[in-house]
Amino acid sequence: MINTLPSMNRYCALITGGSDGIGREFALACAREGYDIAIVALPDPQLATTVRLIEEAAPVRCFSLGLDLTKAGAVEKIVDWVGQKKLAVRILINNAGLGYTGRFEAMPPSQLQNVITVNTMLSSVLCHALQPELFRNAPSYVLNLSSIAGTMPVPYYAVYTGTKHFVYSFSLALRQEWKGRVAVSVMCPGPVLTNHPRHQRRAGHFGFWSRLITLTASEVAQIGIEGMLQNEGLIIPKRVNRWVIRLMRTLPVRLRLRILKKLFIKLKDDYRYEPTRQPSSQGLNAEALVMRRDEE
Ligand SMILES: NC(=O)c1ccc[n+]([C@@H]2O[C@H](COP(=O)([O-])OP(=O)(O)OC[C@H]3O[C@@H](n4cnc5c(N)ncnc54)[C@H](OP(=O)(O)O)[C@@H]3O)[C@@H](O)[C@H]2O)c1
């Protein structure tokens, strides 16, 4: 346990998009470290379910704010809420993120804006807005979610990889500025199996390769929290993913792009609007899916 302060003075971990997927696992991992939890996620029943889950998993308080992060004024609402609840934020995890594969022109402009807003504007402006809070509660931590795709330009994933490259670059630069006060880390996971149909479809497309580089949400969260608390700047889960990044960087840009296009052209007709969550009635479980595919 990192934090052993009495409960009323306990420091808090604020996680965006923390009600499901990787975000929920981050929240659980921070709760196990003794931090109170503050989740900001879409206002739907899943939020209340996750709050219960966290409070049952560890003796911490879990606060939740239902908010659509694509809407104007989201950052201000988060900062007001932190003030009203008197939350002592020591950990900020910018986890919420959106991304669609498919032809660039197939994505409606409103979705394009949502991806850019949530992935880039929100994470950077939230770091800025919570800076006084993070400095006051130092030593503090920021963990920003990029992706392996944020380290290379991927055709048919252009907007997502562009925004995740922003997160990667922004985080490593801010890390130097805030050194000694706030440990800023950026995490670049490969594919992660969540309950989202898009992630499951992609795993199907890439077959063997996907099996090689994919992790479950709980594995990614555990690696992320350990790396963040150990003040690692760049966290890339799984050795094979680190090799892929290194190998790609050694190749001339034109060759790299040709390889990536060849791999991702399969997903050129993939764009479709889907809700973030798969109805639980369909009983899909990411961990079970990994096991099933490993058995094949
Ligand atoms: N899954 C992967 O393969 C993978 C790989 C590399 C990096 N990542 C990154 O890891 C992070 C989490 O991904 P994930 O796969 O767990 O999530 P996801 O299922 O793709 O959903 C995205 C996350 O963002 C939140 N979110 C989406 N739209 C929102 C909105 N309008 N307002 C508030 N919250 C919103 C969701 O929160 P709710 O809980 O409210 O739905 C969810 O936690 C993202 O930044 C993603 O880019 C994922």
Side-chain angles (χ1 to χ4, degrees), residues 251-289:
L251 300 177
V253 176
R254 264 206 260 167
L255 177 60
R256 203 188 314 168
L257 283 169
R258 233 182 288 148
I259 294 170
L260 289 166
K261 183 172 182 184
K262 212 166 174 181
L263 280 172
F264 278 79
I265 202 162
K266 291 177 184 177
L267 297 174
K268 70 182 188 327
D269 298 319
D270 193 57
Y271 178 77
R272 65 190 85 160
Y273 175 75
E274 283 161 331
T276 313
R277 259 184 278 287
Q278 180 106 331
S280 55
S281 58
Q282 298 196 12
L284 276 164
N285 173 296
E287 275 79 359
L289 240 159

Side-chain angles (χ1 to χ4, degrees), residues 69 150 167 296:
L69 297 170
V167 175
E296 279 165 9

